[in-house]
Amino acid sequence: LHPDTDSLVPPGGSNEVSALGHMNAIAELAQLLDAAQAWKAPPDVIFVAMGSGSTVLGLLLGVHLMGWNTKVVGVADQDKSPLTRWVVNGQPSVPFVEGNVAQLARSTVEWLHKIRFPGISPDVLRVMQHETFVPDSTSWEPGYGLIAPADGERAKELKEAGLNLDPVFTLKAWRSLLTMSQTGALKNKKVLFWNT
């Protein structure tokens, strides 16, 4: 809470305004892909760590604004008990971080309509929920900020290759990508890892 105003920075820093930066990042990605002519089409899948919600929500809204058919896999950094889920998100059966994103999505879309932000269709929440958002609320195990021994070894190998991943967020998003890849679900797909 700022001492001179009623301004409040929410936990994790996610709010309606913070999602705008990640929406803009998708527009910048589109320009980069166009300039580099790296891919003839946008990514089929984006993997991103999912904490308080604005990064994954901004990417989802950006994908929507660009008209892409890209799936955004949001990899949760934790989960909470059903009681905490109910107290914080009002949804005891929905994994904690998914509930955060759903709440933020509703308030952000409402705010974007209020300020008459162009390009946000009325069905954006339905489209995001059923067509573009792929939550992974299991890869956060063994716990918030904890890693399995195999992940520790993988992190060292990746660091030697020039990719630094933290144990709370990005390493778990990488594991999700790797796991999905090993099942064959990403075969012949253009996959982007969004390293936050």
Side-chain angles (χ1 to χ4, degrees):
L1 186 63
H2 191 279
D4 300 326
T5 69
D6 290 336
S7 298
L8 184 68
V9 177
S14 287
N15 62 21
E16 296 80 5
V17 177
S18 65
L20 291 176
H22 304 288
M23 290 168 59
N24 186 56
I26 289 292
E28 290 183 20
L29 173 64
Q31 290 177 341
L32 176 70
L33 293 176
D34 187 48
Q37 298 181 350
W39 289 339
K40 303 249 186 267
D44 297 307
V45 184
I46 297 173
F47 280 81
V48 62
M50 181 171 63
S52 56
S54 70
T55 303
V56 72
L57 176 61
L59 297 182
L60 285 163
L61 289 169
V63 162
H64 175 75
L65 286 171
M66 297 303 297
W68 294 354
N69 291 321
T70 303
K71 305 274 188 219
V72 177
V73 179
V75 183
D77 65 341
Q78 62 180 301
D79 199 2
K80 301 283 186 186
S81 71
L83 178 60
T84 302
R85 293 174 184 175
W86 179 75
V87 169
V88 176
N89 293 325
Q91 301 174 347
S93 63
V94 176
F96 181 70
V97 177
E98 288 180 47
N100 289 349
V101 173
Q103 271 194 328
L104 184 60
R106 285 189 295 275
S107 64
T108 299
V109 168
E110 181 180 301
W111 175 71
L112 290 172
H113 280 133
K114 185 177 177 181
I115 66 168
R116 298 182 181 172
F117 192 92
I120 301 295
S121 67
D123 66 341
V124 67
L125 289 174
R126 181 192 55 77
V127 169
M128 284 188 320
Q129 186 175 31
H130 299 291
E131 297 176 27
T132 58
F133 182 38
V134 182
D136 175 352
S137 289
T138 60
S139 292
W140 63 272
E141 295 285 0
Y144 182 81
L146 302 175
I147 59 173
D151 287 336
E153 290 303 314
R154 186 174 296 123
K156 287 178 189 173
E157 291 171 9
L158 292 168
K159 187 173 184 175
E160 288 172 8
L163 182 60
N164 284 320
L165 301 177
D166 75 277
V168 177
F169 299 102
T170 55
L171 183 59
K172 293 174 182 187
W174 184 266
R175 182 188 336 133
S176 179
L177 185 156
L178 186 61
T179 301
M180 197 177 284
S181 176
Q182 290 168 340
T183 68
L186 301 177
K187 188 172 184 172
N188 299 320
K189 304 267 188 206
K190 292 181 292 297
V191 178
L192 179 67
F193 178 71
W194 198 274
N195 188 358
T196 57

mmCIF file with all atom_site columns, all heavy atoms in Angstrom, residues 57-80:
data_model
loop_
_atom_site.group_PDB
_atom_site.id
_atom_site.type_symbol
_atom_site.label_atom_id
_atom_site.label_alt_id
_atom_site.label_comp_id
_atom_site.label_asym_id
_atom_site.label_entity_id
_atom_site.label_seq_id
_atom_site.pdbx_PDB_ins_code
_atom_site.Cartn_x
_atom_site.Cartn_y
_atom_site.Cartn_z
_atom_site.occupancy
_atom_site.B_iso_or_equiv
_atom_site.pdbx_formal_charge
_atom_site.auth_seq_id
_atom_site.auth_comp_id
_atom_site.auth_asym_id
_atom_site.auth_atom_id
_atom_site.pdbx_PDB_model_num
ATOM 1   N N   . LEU A 1 57 ? -2.461  -14.770 -19.011 1.00 0.00 ? 57 LEU A N   1
ATOM 2   C CA  . LEU A 1 57 ? -3.662  -14.088 -19.492 1.00 0.00 ? 57 LEU A CA  1
ATOM 3   C C   . LEU A 1 57 ? -3.318  -13.118 -20.615 1.00 0.00 ? 57 LEU A C   1
ATOM 4   O O   . LEU A 1 57 ? -4.021  -13.067 -21.632 1.00 0.00 ? 57 LEU A O   1
ATOM 5   C CB  . LEU A 1 57 ? -4.357  -13.346 -18.351 1.00 0.00 ? 57 LEU A CB  1
ATOM 6   C CG  . LEU A 1 57 ? -5.571  -12.528 -18.786 1.00 0.00 ? 57 LEU A CG  1
ATOM 7   C CD1 . LEU A 1 57 ? -6.635  -13.421 -19.407 1.00 0.00 ? 57 LEU A CD1 1
ATOM 8   C CD2 . LEU A 1 57 ? -6.133  -11.750 -17.607 1.00 0.00 ? 57 LEU A CD2 1
ATOM 9   N N   . GLY A 1 58 ? -2.253  -12.346 -20.454 1.00 0.00 ? 58 GLY A N   1
ATOM 10  C CA  . GLY A 1 58 ? -1.850  -11.418 -21.513 1.00 0.00 ? 58 GLY A CA  1
ATOM 11  C C   . GLY A 1 58 ? -1.520  -12.136 -22.805 1.00 0.00 ? 58 GLY A C   1
ATOM 12  O O   . GLY A 1 58 ? -1.876  -11.683 -23.898 1.00 0.00 ? 58 GLY A O   1
ATOM 13  N N   . LEU A 1 59 ? -0.838  -13.289 -22.693 1.00 0.00 ? 59 LEU A N   1
ATOM 14  C CA  . LEU A 1 59 ? -0.537  -14.068 -23.897 1.00 0.00 ? 59 LEU A CA  1
ATOM 15  C C   . LEU A 1 59 ? -1.829  -14.568 -24.546 1.00 0.00 ? 59 LEU A C   1
ATOM 16  O O   . LEU A 1 59 ? -1.979  -14.522 -25.770 1.00 0.00 ? 59 LEU A O   1
ATOM 17  C CB  . LEU A 1 59 ? 0.382   -15.235 -23.563 1.00 0.00 ? 59 LEU A CB  1
ATOM 18  C CG  . LEU A 1 59 ? 1.785   -14.884 -23.030 1.00 0.00 ? 59 LEU A CG  1
ATOM 19  C CD1 . LEU A 1 59 ? 2.605   -16.153 -22.799 1.00 0.00 ? 59 LEU A CD1 1
ATOM 20  C CD2 . LEU A 1 59 ? 2.528   -13.931 -23.940 1.00 0.00 ? 59 LEU A CD2 1
ATOM 21  N N   . LEU A 1 60 ? -2.765  -15.038 -23.726 1.00 0.00 ? 60 LEU A N   1
ATOM 22  C CA  . LEU A 1 60 ? -4.044  -15.507 -24.263 1.00 0.00 ? 60 LEU A CA  1
ATOM 23  C C   . LEU A 1 60 ? -4.795  -14.387 -24.978 1.00 0.00 ? 60 LEU A C   1
ATOM 24  O O   . LEU A 1 60 ? -5.317  -14.580 -26.085 1.00 0.00 ? 60 LEU A O   1
ATOM 25  C CB  . LEU A 1 60 ? -4.907  -16.083 -23.139 1.00 0.00 ? 60 LEU A CB  1
ATOM 26  C CG  . LEU A 1 60 ? -4.494  -17.455 -22.626 1.00 0.00 ? 60 LEU A CG  1
ATOM 27  C CD1 . LEU A 1 60 ? -5.124  -17.732 -21.266 1.00 0.00 ? 60 LEU A CD1 1
ATOM 28  C CD2 . LEU A 1 60 ? -4.869  -18.532 -23.629 1.00 0.00 ? 60 LEU A CD2 1
ATOM 29  N N   . LEU A 1 61 ? -4.854  -13.218 -24.363 1.00 0.00 ? 61 LEU A N   1
ATOM 30  C CA  . LEU A 1 61 ? -5.542  -12.090 -24.992 1.00 0.00 ? 61 LEU A CA  1
ATOM 31  C C   . LEU A 1 61 ? -4.807  -11.630 -26.247 1.00 0.00 ? 61 LEU A C   1
ATOM 32  O O   . LEU A 1 61 ? -5.425  -11.281 -27.254 1.00 0.00 ? 61 LEU A O   1
ATOM 33  C CB  . LEU A 1 61 ? -5.690  -10.939 -23.997 1.00 0.00 ? 61 LEU A CB  1
ATOM 34  C CG  . LEU A 1 61 ? -6.692  -11.184 -22.872 1.00 0.00 ? 61 LEU A CG  1
ATOM 35  C CD1 . LEU A 1 61 ? -6.578  -10.113 -21.795 1.00 0.00 ? 61 LEU A CD1 1
ATOM 36  C CD2 . LEU A 1 61 ? -8.118  -11.267 -23.408 1.00 0.00 ? 61 LEU A CD2 1
ATOM 37  N N   . GLY A 1 62 ? -3.466  -11.643 -26.203 1.00 0.00 ? 62 GLY A N   1
ATOM 38  C CA  . GLY A 1 62 ? -2.685  -11.269 -27.381 1.00 0.00 ? 62 GLY A CA  1
ATOM 39  C C   . GLY A 1 62 ? -2.912  -12.220 -28.538 1.00 0.00 ? 62 GLY A C   1
ATOM 40  O O   . GLY A 1 62 ? -3.092  -11.796 -29.690 1.00 0.00 ? 62 GLY A O   1
ATOM 41  N N   . VAL A 1 63 ? -2.931  -13.514 -28.243 1.00 0.00 ? 63 VAL A N   1
ATOM 42  C CA  . VAL A 1 63 ? -3.209  -14.533 -29.267 1.00 0.00 ? 63 VAL A CA  1
ATOM 43  C C   . VAL A 1 63 ? -4.592  -14.288 -29.865 1.00 0.00 ? 63 VAL A C   1
ATOM 44  O O   . VAL A 1 63 ? -4.799  -14.356 -31.076 1.00 0.00 ? 63 VAL A O   1
ATOM 45  C CB  . VAL A 1 63 ? -3.081  -15.952 -28.650 1.00 0.00 ? 63 VAL A CB  1
ATOM 46  C CG1 . VAL A 1 63 ? -3.765  -17.002 -29.491 1.00 0.00 ? 63 VAL A CG1 1
ATOM 47  C CG2 . VAL A 1 63 ? -1.616  -16.295 -28.430 1.00 0.00 ? 63 VAL A CG2 1
ATOM 48  N N   . HIS A 1 64 ? -5.559  -13.979 -29.005 1.00 0.00 ? 64 HIS A N   1
ATOM 49  C CA  . HIS A 1 64 ? -6.924  -13.690 -29.458 1.00 0.00 ? 64 HIS A CA  1
ATOM 50  C C   . HIS A 1 64 ? -6.937  -12.469 -30.378 1.00 0.00 ? 64 HIS A C   1
ATOM 51  O O   . HIS A 1 64 ? -7.546  -12.499 -31.453 1.00 0.00 ? 64 HIS A O   1
ATOM 52  C CB  . HIS A 1 64 ? -7.830  -13.458 -28.243 1.00 0.00 ? 64 HIS A CB  1
ATOM 53  C CG  . HIS A 1 64 ? -9.217  -13.042 -28.605 1.00 0.00 ? 64 HIS A CG  1
ATOM 54  N ND1 . HIS A 1 64 ? -10.152 -13.921 -29.103 1.00 0.00 ? 64 HIS A ND1 1
ATOM 55  C CD2 . HIS A 1 64 ? -9.824  -11.823 -28.550 1.00 0.00 ? 64 HIS A CD2 1
ATOM 56  C CE1 . HIS A 1 64 ? -11.280 -13.263 -29.341 1.00 0.00 ? 64 HIS A CE1 1
ATOM 57  N NE2 . HIS A 1 64 ? -11.099 -11.999 -29.004 1.00 0.00 ? 64 HIS A NE2 1
ATOM 58  N N   . LEU A 1 65 ? -6.257  -11.403 -29.959 1.00 0.00 ? 65 LEU A N   1
ATOM 59  C CA  . LEU A 1 65 ? -6.232  -10.182 -30.772 1.00 0.00 ? 65 LEU A CA  1
ATOM 60  C C   . LEU A 1 65 ? -5.563  -10.394 -32.125 1.00 0.00 ? 65 LEU A C   1
ATOM 61  O O   . LEU A 1 65 ? -5.953  -9.795  -33.122 1.00 0.00 ? 65 LEU A O   1
ATOM 62  C CB  . LEU A 1 65 ? -5.524  -9.051  -30.015 1.00 0.00 ? 65 LEU A CB  1
ATOM 63  C CG  . LEU A 1 65 ? -6.319  -8.439  -28.875 1.00 0.00 ? 65 LEU A CG  1
ATOM 64  C CD1 . LEU A 1 65 ? -5.429  -7.500  -28.058 1.00 0.00 ? 65 LEU A CD1 1
ATOM 65  C CD2 . LEU A 1 65 ? -7.523  -7.681  -29.401 1.00 0.00 ? 65 LEU A CD2 1
ATOM 66  N N   . MET A 1 66 ? -4.541  -11.263 -32.157 1.00 0.00 ? 66 MET A N   1
ATOM 67  C CA  . MET A 1 66 ? -3.832  -11.534 -33.412 1.00 0.00 ? 66 MET A CA  1
ATOM 68  C C   . MET A 1 66 ? -4.628  -12.482 -34.309 1.00 0.00 ? 66 MET A C   1
ATOM 69  O O   . MET A 1 66 ? -4.296  -12.650 -35.471 1.00 0.00 ? 66 MET A O   1
ATOM 70  C CB  . MET A 1 66 ? -2.446  -12.127 -33.129 1.00 0.00 ? 66 MET A CB  1
ATOM 71  C CG  . MET A 1 66 ? -1.506  -11.214 -32.376 1.00 0.00 ? 66 MET A CG  1
ATOM 72  S SD  . MET A 1 66 ? -1.210  -9.622  -33.178 1.00 0.00 ? 66 MET A SD  1
ATOM 73  C CE  . MET A 1 66 ? -0.434  -10.130 -34.696 1.00 0.00 ? 66 MET A CE  1
ATOM 74  N N   . GLY A 1 67 ? -5.656  -13.122 -33.752 1.00 0.00 ? 67 GLY A N   1
ATOM 75  C CA  . GLY A 1 67 ? -6.441  -14.071 -34.532 1.00 0.00 ? 67 GLY A CA  1
ATOM 76  C C   . GLY A 1 67 ? -5.728  -15.400 -34.749 1.00 0.00 ? 67 GLY A C   1
ATOM 77  O O   . GLY A 1 67 ? -6.051  -16.143 -35.678 1.00 0.00 ? 67 GLY A O   1
ATOM 78  N N   . TRP A 1 68 ? -4.764  -15.691 -33.886 1.00 0.00 ? 68 TRP A N   1
ATOM 79  C CA  . TRP A 1 68 ? -4.015  -16.944 -34.005 1.00 0.00 ? 68 TRP A CA  1
ATOM 80  C C   . TRP A 1 68 ? -4.809  -18.105 -33.416 1.00 0.00 ? 68 TRP A C   1
ATOM 81  O O   . TRP A 1 68 ? -5.617  -17.920 -32.513 1.00 0.00 ? 68 TRP A O   1
ATOM 82  C CB  . TRP A 1 68 ? -2.685  -16.842 -33.274 1.00 0.00 ? 68 TRP A CB  1
ATOM 83  C CG  . TRP A 1 68 ? -1.701  -15.878 -33.849 1.00 0.00 ? 68 TRP A CG  1
ATOM 84  C CD1 . TRP A 1 68 ? -1.812  -15.165 -35.023 1.00 0.00 ? 68 TRP A CD1 1
ATOM 85  C CD2 . TRP A 1 68 ? -0.457  -15.493 -33.269 1.00 0.00 ? 68 TRP A CD2 1
ATOM 86  N NE1 . TRP A 1 68 ? -0.707  -14.381 -35.205 1.00 0.00 ? 68 TRP A NE1 1
ATOM 87  C CE2 . TRP A 1 68 ? 0.151   -14.559 -34.144 1.00 0.00 ? 68 TRP A CE2 1
ATOM 88  C CE3 . TRP A 1 68 ? 0.210   -15.841 -32.112 1.00 0.00 ? 68 TRP A CE3 1
ATOM 89  C CZ2 . TRP A 1 68 ? 1.386   -13.981 -33.890 1.00 0.00 ? 68 TRP A CZ2 1
ATOM 90  C CZ3 . TRP A 1 68 ? 1.438   -15.271 -31.847 1.00 0.00 ? 68 TRP A CZ3 1
ATOM 91  C CH2 . TRP A 1 68 ? 2.030   -14.351 -32.727 1.00 0.00 ? 68 TRP A CH2 1
ATOM 92  N N   . ASN A 1 69 ? -4.523  -19.296 -33.890 1.00 0.00 ? 69 ASN A N   1
ATOM 93  C CA  . ASN A 1 69 ? -5.101  -20.520 -33.319 1.00 0.00 ? 69 ASN A CA  1
ATOM 94  C C   . ASN A 1 69 ? -4.128  -21.173 -32.349 1.00 0.00 ? 69 ASN A C   1
ATOM 95  O O   . ASN A 1 69 ? -4.149  -22.384 -32.161 1.00 0.00 ? 69 ASN A O   1
ATOM 96  C CB  . ASN A 1 69 ? -5.471  -21.503 -34.434 1.00 0.00 ? 69 ASN A CB  1
ATOM 97  C CG  . ASN A 1 69 ? -6.637  -21.009 -35.244 1.00 0.00 ? 69 ASN A CG  1
ATOM 98  O OD1 . ASN A 1 69 ? -7.579  -20.444 -34.700 1.00 0.00 ? 69 ASN A OD1 1
ATOM 99  N ND2 . ASN A 1 69 ? -6.584  -21.189 -36.544 1.00 0.00 ? 69 ASN A ND2 1
ATOM 100 N N   . THR A 1 70 ? -3.283  -20.393 -31.752 1.00 0.00 ? 70 THR A N   1
ATOM 101 C CA  . THR A 1 70 ? -2.241  -20.871 -30.845 1.00 0.00 ? 70 THR A CA  1
ATOM 102 C C   . THR A 1 70 ? -2.839  -21.304 -29.514 1.00 0.00 ? 70 THR A C   1
ATOM 103 O O   . THR A 1 70 ? -3.666  -20.606 -28.938 1.00 0.00 ? 70 THR A O   1
ATOM 104 C CB  . THR A 1 70 ? -1.209  -19.746 -30.608 1.00 0.00 ? 70 THR A CB  1
ATOM 105 O OG1 . THR A 1 70 ? -0.690  -19.332 -31.867 1.00 0.00 ? 70 THR A OG1 1
ATOM 106 C CG2 . THR A 1 70 ? -0.092  -20.197 -29.706 1.00 0.00 ? 70 THR A CG2 1
ATOM 107 N N   . LYS A 1 71 ? -2.397  -22.456 -29.033 1.00 0.00 ? 71 LYS A N   1
ATOM 108 C CA  . LYS A 1 71 ? -2.753  -22.914 -27.692 1.00 0.00 ? 71 LYS A CA  1
ATOM 109 C C   . LYS A 1 71 ? -1.705  -22.370 -26.724 1.00 0.00 ? 71 LYS A C   1
ATOM 110 O O   . LYS A 1 71 ? -0.512  -22.385 -27.027 1.00 0.00 ? 71 LYS A O   1
ATOM 111 C CB  . LYS A 1 71 ? -2.737  -24.441 -27.602 1.00 0.00 ? 71 LYS A CB  1
ATOM 112 C CG  . LYS A 1 71 ? -3.616  -25.130 -28.615 1.00 0.00 ? 71 LYS A CG  1
ATOM 113 C CD  . LYS A 1 71 ? -5.011  -25.247 -28.122 1.00 0.00 ? 71 LYS A CD  1
ATOM 114 C CE  . LYS A 1 71 ? -5.827  -26.109 -29.080 1.00 0.00 ? 71 LYS A CE  1
ATOM 115 N NZ  . LYS A 1 71 ? -7.160  -25.610 -29.268 1.00 0.00 ? 71 LYS A NZ  1
ATOM 116 N N   . VAL A 1 72 ? -2.132  -21.888 -25.584 1.00 0.00 ? 72 VAL A N   1
ATOM 117 C CA  . VAL A 1 72 ? -1.220  -21.409 -24.545 1.00 0.00 ? 72 VAL A CA  1
ATOM 118 C C   . VAL A 1 72 ? -1.297  -22.374 -23.370 1.00 0.00 ? 72 VAL A C   1
ATOM 119 O O   . VAL A 1 72 ? -2.339  -22.503 -22.730 1.00 0.00 ? 72 VAL A O   1
ATOM 120 C CB  . VAL A 1 72 ? -1.565  -19.969 -24.106 1.00 0.00 ? 72 VAL A CB  1
ATOM 121 C CG1 . VAL A 1 72 ? -0.639  -19.517 -22.978 1.00 0.00 ? 72 VAL A CG1 1
ATOM 122 C CG2 . VAL A 1 72 ? -1.481  -19.007 -25.291 1.00 0.00 ? 72 VAL A CG2 1
ATOM 123 N N   . VAL A 1 73 ? -0.174  -23.071 -23.134 1.00 0.00 ? 73 VAL A N   1
ATOM 124 C CA  . VAL A 1 73 ? -0.095  -24.004 -22.016 1.00 0.00 ? 73 VAL A CA  1
ATOM 125 C C   . VAL A 1 73 ? 0.472   -23.241 -20.827 1.00 0.00 ? 73 VAL A C   1
ATOM 126 O O   . VAL A 1 73 ? 1.642   -22.867 -20.813 1.00 0.00 ? 73 VAL A O   1
ATOM 127 C CB  . VAL A 1 73 ? 0.798   -25.223 -22.347 1.00 0.00 ? 73 VAL A CB  1
ATOM 128 C CG1 . VAL A 1 73 ? 0.881   -26.166 -21.145 1.00 0.00 ? 73 VAL A CG1 1
ATOM 129 C CG2 . VAL A 1 73 ? 0.279   -25.955 -23.577 1.00 0.00 ? 73 VAL A CG2 1
ATOM 130 N N   . GLY A 1 74 ? -0.373  -22.988 -19.851 1.00 0.00 ? 74 GLY A N   1
ATOM 131 C CA  . GLY A 1 74 ? 0.044   -22.318 -18.627 1.00 0.00 ? 74 GLY A CA  1
ATOM 132 C C   . GLY A 1 74 ? 0.388   -23.353 -17.579 1.00 0.00 ? 74 GLY A C   1
ATOM 133 O O   . GLY A 1 74 ? -0.463  -24.164 -17.212 1.00 0.00 ? 74 GLY A O   1
ATOM 134 N N   . VAL A 1 75 ? 1.636   -23.350 -17.127 1.00 0.00 ? 75 VAL A N   1
ATOM 135 C CA  . VAL A 1 75 ? 2.103   -24.363 -16.178 1.00 0.00 ? 75 VAL A CA  1
ATOM 136 C C   . VAL A 1 75 ? 2.127   -23.761 -14.775 1.00 0.00 ? 75 VAL A C   1
ATOM 137 O O   . VAL A 1 75 ? 2.925   -22.857 -14.490 1.00 0.00 ? 75 VAL A O   1
ATOM 138 C CB  . VAL A 1 75 ? 3.498   -24.898 -16.579 1.00 0.00 ? 75 VAL A CB  1
ATOM 139 C CG1 . VAL A 1 75 ? 3.934   -26.002 -15.626 1.00 0.00 ? 75 VAL A CG1 1
ATOM 140 C CG2 . VAL A 1 75 ? 3.480   -25.400 -18.020 1.00 0.00 ? 75 VAL A CG2 1
ATOM 141 N N   . ALA A 1 76 ? 1.242   -24.260 -13.919 1.00 0.00 ? 76 ALA A N   1
ATOM 142 C CA  . ALA A 1 76 ? 1.081   -23.726 -12.562 1.00 0.00 ? 76 ALA A CA  1
ATOM 143 C C   . ALA A 1 76 ? 2.347   -23.906 -11.728 1.00 0.00 ? 76 ALA A C   1
ATOM 144 O O   . ALA A 1 76 ? 3.057   -24.897 -11.866 1.00 0.00 ? 76 ALA A O   1
ATOM 145 C CB  . ALA A 1 76 ? -0.090  -24.414 -11.865 1.00 0.00 ? 76 ALA A CB  1
ATOM 146 N N   . ASP A 1 77 ? 2.594   -22.936 -10.857 1.00 0.00 ? 77 ASP A N   1
ATOM 147 C CA  . ASP A 1 77 ? 3.754   -22.996 -9.966  1.00 0.00 ? 77 ASP A CA  1
ATOM 148 C C   . ASP A 1 77 ? 3.409   -23.623 -8.621  1.00 0.00 ? 77 ASP A C   1
ATOM 149 O O   . ASP A 1 77 ? 4.294   -23.876 -7.819  1.00 0.00 ? 77 ASP A O   1
ATOM 150 C CB  . ASP A 1 77 ? 4.332   -21.600 -9.747  1.00 0.00 ? 77 ASP A CB  1
ATOM 151 C CG  . ASP A 1 77 ? 3.385   -20.657 -9.008  1.00 0.00 ? 77 ASP A CG  1
ATOM 152 O OD1 . ASP A 1 77 ? 2.165   -20.934 -8.970  1.00 0.00 ? 77 ASP A OD1 1
ATOM 153 O OD2 . ASP A 1 77 ? 3.856   -19.649 -8.475  1.00 0.00 ? 77 ASP A OD2 1
ATOM 154 N N   . GLN A 1 78 ? 2.109   -23.884 -8.372  1.00 0.00 ? 78 GLN A N   1
ATOM 155 C CA  . GLN A 1 78 ? 1.684   -24.414 -7.075  1.00 0.00 ? 78 GLN A CA  1
ATOM 156 C C   . GLN A 1 78 ? 0.212   -24.781 -7.127  1.00 0.00 ? 78 GLN A C   1
ATOM 157 O O   . GLN A 1 78 ? -0.463  -24.522 -8.114  1.00 0.00 ? 78 GLN A O   1
ATOM 158 C CB  . GLN A 1 78 ? 1.898   -23.374 -5.980  1.00 0.00 ? 78 GLN A CB  1
ATOM 159 C CG  . GLN A 1 78 ? 1.055   -22.107 -6.201  1.00 0.00 ? 78 GLN A CG  1
ATOM 160 C CD  . GLN A 1 78 ? 1.253   -21.077 -5.127  1.00 0.00 ? 78 GLN A CD  1
ATOM 161 O OE1 . GLN A 1 78 ? 1.005   -21.364 -3.968  1.00 0.00 ? 78 GLN A OE1 1
ATOM 162 N NE2 . GLN A 1 78 ? 1.705   -19.903 -5.503  1.00 0.00 ? 78 GLN A NE2 1
ATOM 163 N N   . ASP A 1 79 ? -0.270  -25.340 -6.054  1.00 0.00 ? 79 ASP A N   1
ATOM 164 C CA  . ASP A 1 79 ? -1.702  -25.532 -5.838  1.00 0.00 ? 79 ASP A CA  1
ATOM 165 C C   . ASP A 1 79 ? -1.952  -25.325 -4.347  1.00 0.00 ? 79 ASP A C   1
ATOM 166 O O   . ASP A 1 79 ? -1.001  -25.225 -3.565  1.00 0.00 ? 79 ASP A O   1
ATOM 167 C CB  . ASP A 1 79 ? -2.163  -26.910 -6.305  1.00 0.00 ? 79 ASP A CB  1
ATOM 168 C CG  . ASP A 1 79 ? -3.672  -26.961 -6.533  1.00 0.00 ? 79 ASP A CG  1
ATOM 169 O OD1 . ASP A 1 79 ? -4.359  -25.927 -6.360  1.00 0.00 ? 79 ASP A OD1 1
ATOM 170 O OD2 . ASP A 1 79 ? -4.185  -28.041 -6.873  1.00 0.00 ? 79 ASP A OD2 1
ATOM 171 N N   . LYS A 1 80 ? -3.189  -25.227 -3.979  1.00 0.00 ? 80 LYS A N   1
ATOM 172 C CA  . LYS A 1 80 ? -3.576  -25.014 -2.583  1.00 0.00 ? 80 LYS A CA  1
ATOM 173 C C   . LYS A 1 80 ? -4.696  -25.985 -2.218  1.00 0.00 ? 80 LYS A C   1
ATOM 174 O O   . LYS A 1 80 ? -5.285  -26.633 -3.076  1.00 0.00 ? 80 LYS A O   1
ATOM 175 C CB  . LYS A 1 80 ? -4.075  -23.575 -2.368  1.00 0.00 ? 80 LYS A CB  1
ATOM 176 C CG  . LYS A 1 80 ? -3.063  -22.488 -2.714  1.00 0.00 ? 80 LYS A CG  1
ATOM 177 C CD  . LYS A 1 80 ? -2.036  -22.339 -1.647  1.00 0.00 ? 80 LYS A CD  1
ATOM 178 C CE  . LYS A 1 80 ? -1.121  -21.148 -1.949  1.00 0.00 ? 80 LYS A CE  1
ATOM 179 N NZ  . LYS A 1 80 ? -0.033  -21.032 -1.041  1.00 0.00 ? 80 LYS A NZ  1
#
